[in-house]
Every structure is written in C-alpha cells, then in structure tokens.
C-alpha cells in the first residue's frame, strides 16, 4: 500500500476498511481505504502531527509538535477537527486507557495520564524517580488489562500500571532501537526493532522476546505499526520517505 511520497509518522485502524495515517511533513491526517490504498479524506492540522490513537470508532487523538493534543472526529468518510488541549512538554506518544488518555514526553522524558478535559491524573517523571528510567519514550501502547508499555530507543521496553507505577523493564540484545509498539492481547505486545529490521513479540508473563518478522519478509527499519484483530492484519510503516505501508496477514 502506498499513500504518497511523504514520511508516515504513525497509523491506526479505524475499521475493517479504513486506516488513519499521520503524515508529519505535510501536517495532514489522511483517512485511507485499507483495501485499495486510496485516499478517502484528509485534513490539515495547525502543527506537525506525531502519533495517533483511536479513542473510539468515531474519534482519534493526535499529538502535535506544538505541545498539544488534537481531537479528530470521524463522521463516515469525513474528517473534522475537534477540540485541542495544550500540554506542558514535548509530547510524542499517545494511547487510550479506559476513559483516559496516556501521553509520553521526550523533553523532559515522562508520562502522564489525562482525563478527556485535560486534567492531569497521574504523572511519571523519569528523573524524579532517582534515575533515567527511560530516555526517549517516542511510542507508547496500552493493553486491555490496563498496562502501559513504553518503547525506549535505548534498547528497552518498560511496563507500567494504569497509575504509572513501573512493573517491569524488558531488555534483550534483539531489541535494537525499539520504536512503534502495540498490544494485541494481554500477553502479546508487538514492537518495531528498527536497527535490526525486525518485528518482535514480547510476552509480558514470561519476559520472552522473539522475532516474528524480519528482513526475509521485507521488513526494513520498521517505524510504526498497528493491528486489525477482526481482519488479522498487521500494518507496518518503514522508516522511509515513500509513504509505504506493508500489510501482513496472520495465518
């Protein structure tokens, strides 16, 4: 699937036939037909978009370079700008946690749980915890059991609970600059291992990390990913400027 010539910074599944694609360089979020690769709708943002998550099937949340969250309403095949929230740091990752939003900051590195109106409910500042627990929390994910996962490009993945208490840190030589991360079940977390061209499966219950896709499957410098449970399809964005999305069918 090819969506143009710009770098895709993140993607999310809207439905069986729709993907939401964040294109940083042109300040756009694009609704794409996942079966044909064609553009259904697009909307221009006030700043450069970074990450996206679906809050429900009609609303997405996007982090912007200008330290804000932008809500986007999805009305059939129409995208509409909703409200926005100003934040207090260099925001990167975003994920849904029940009725709240979890965001990650790169500078200073940390996490926050926010209510829908922007009220800060929980904060994790890595420096305040006595050390650099993580340095570059560029991507985050949440699981159905309330866990928060942070991929740090410094070769680790951190698991926290919904109150942002650290549960466990996962490290392995196979983790080479982990970036995009998603939870596909309570015990299955997929991670983009950028520098060794792999998609890794992390099983939190055992701590095992194994490779499920690699260069032999066409994976090269994976940047972001998302998964459609109903279609059993994995979508992977390579770190390149071709606007390309790779699609893998789970058997």
């Amino acid at each position: 699937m090819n969506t143009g010539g710009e770098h895709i910074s993140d993607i999310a599944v809207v439905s069986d036939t729709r993907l939401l694609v964040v294109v940083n360089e042109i300040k756009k979020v694009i609704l794409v037909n996942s079966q044909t690769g064609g553009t259904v709708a697009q909307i221009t943002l006030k700043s450069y978009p970074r990450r996206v998550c679906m809050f429900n099937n009609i609303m997405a949340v996007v982090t912007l370079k200008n330290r804000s969250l932008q809500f986007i309403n999805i009305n059939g095949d129409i995208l509409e700008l909703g409200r926005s929230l100003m934040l207090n740091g260099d925001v990167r990752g975003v994920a849904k946690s029940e009725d709240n939003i979890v965001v990650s900051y790169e500078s200073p590195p940390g996490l926050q749980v926010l209510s829908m109106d922007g009220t800060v409910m929980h904060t994790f500042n890595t420096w305040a915890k006595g050390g650099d627990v993580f340095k570059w929390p560029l991507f985050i994910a949440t699981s159905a059991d309330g866990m928060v996962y942070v991929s740090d490009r410094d070769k680790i993945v951190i698991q926290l609970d919904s109150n942002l208490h650290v549960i466990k840190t996962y490290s392995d030589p196979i983790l080479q600059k982990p970036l995009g991360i998603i939870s596909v079940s309570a015990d299955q977390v997929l991670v983009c291992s950028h520098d060794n061209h792999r998609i890794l499966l992390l099983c939190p219950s055992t701590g095992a990390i194994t490779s499920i896709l690699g260069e032999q499957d066409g994976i090269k410098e994976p940047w972001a990913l998302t998964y459609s449970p109903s279609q059993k399809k994995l979508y992977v964005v390579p770190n390149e400027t071709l606007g390309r999305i790779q699609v893998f069918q789970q058997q």
Side-chain angles (χ1 to χ4, degrees):
M1 184 186 304
N2 198 304
T3 63
E6 293 81 16
H7 175 67
I8 297 171
S9 55
D10 205 6
I11 51 174
V13 170
V14 177
S15 68
D16 288 350
T17 60
R18 298 289 187 264
L19 288 174
L20 208 57
V21 178
V22 174
V23 187
N24 178 276
E25 296 169 347
I26 57 174
K27 299 183 183 179
K28 288 185 182 294
V29 171
I30 303 172
L31 188 64
V32 172
N33 185 314
S34 57
Q35 297 177 325
T36 67
T39 295
V40 177
Q42 57 183 304
I43 196 164
T44 302
L45 307 179
K46 295 179 181 179
S47 183
Y48 296 96
R50 286 171 164 168
R51 310 288 175 259
V52 61
C53 78
M54 293 299 302
F55 197 84
N56 52 44
N57 62 354
I58 59 171
M59 185 173 67
V61 184
V62 178
T63 60
L64 301 181
K65 189 178 180 180
N66 69 347
R67 298 188 170 195
S68 70
L69 287 180
Q70 176 66 59
F71 293 85
I72 296 178
N73 300 318
I74 305 169
N75 183 11
D77 289 342
I78 299 173
L79 298 180
E80 301 171 330
L81 288 179
R83 59 196 178 89
S84 61
L85 296 173
M86 295 306 298
L87 302 176
N88 294 319
D90 184 17
V91 65
R92 298 288 176 151
V94 62
K96 177 183 182 293
S97 178
E98 296 183 343
D99 293 327
N100 300 315
I101 302 167
V102 187
V103 293
S104 66
Y105 299 95
E106 185 178 22
S107 180
L111 301 171
Q112 283 186 331
V113 176
L114 309 172
S115 67
M116 288 294 289
D117 65 4
T119 301
V120 177
M121 304 180 69
H122 304 287
T123 297
F124 184 96
N125 185 315
T126 187
W127 306 120
K129 299 298 181 180
D132 51 345
V133 179
F134 46 76
K135 297 178 181 178
W136 295 288
L138 302 185
F139 289 84
I140 59 174
T142 52
S143 61
D145 60 353
M147 294 294 107
V148 178
Y149 294 91
V150 178
S151 64
D152 188 317
R153 68 183 187 188
D154 198 30
K155 301 181 181 180
I156 58 173
V157 172
I158 303 98
Q159 179 187 22
L160 307 94
D161 65 19
S162 59
N163 296 323
L164 302 184
H165 300 127
V166 174
I167 303 299
K168 193 171 182 180
T169 298
Y170 304 91
S171 61
D172 190 286
I174 200 172
L175 276 171
Q176 296 293 322
K177 192 177 178 181
L179 293 173
I181 186 168
I182 56 170
S183 170
V184 297
S185 72
D187 202 35
Q188 292 184 311
V189 177
L190 299 183
V191 187
C192 291
S193 186
H194 179 275
D195 285 1
N196 59 357
H197 317 293
R198 297 172 186 261
I199 303 299
L200 304 179
L201 171 63
L202 164 65
C203 295
S205 63
T206 64
I209 302 175
T210 55
S211 176
I212 62 168
L213 292 169
E215 285 189 274
Q216 71 277 8
D217 305 294
I219 298 292
K220 183 174 175 58
E221 296 183 343
W223 174 265
L225 74 172
T226 191
Y227 181 71
S228 171
S230 60
Q231 297 285 294
K232 294 186 177 180
K233 287 183 179 179
L234 177 67
Y235 299 90
V236 179
V237 175
N239 186 17
E240 56 186 31
T241 56
L242 299 178
R244 186 162 63 98
I245 300 172
Q246 297 172 288
V247 186
F248 298 92
Q249 182 72 56
Q250 182 184 15
Q251 301 302 318

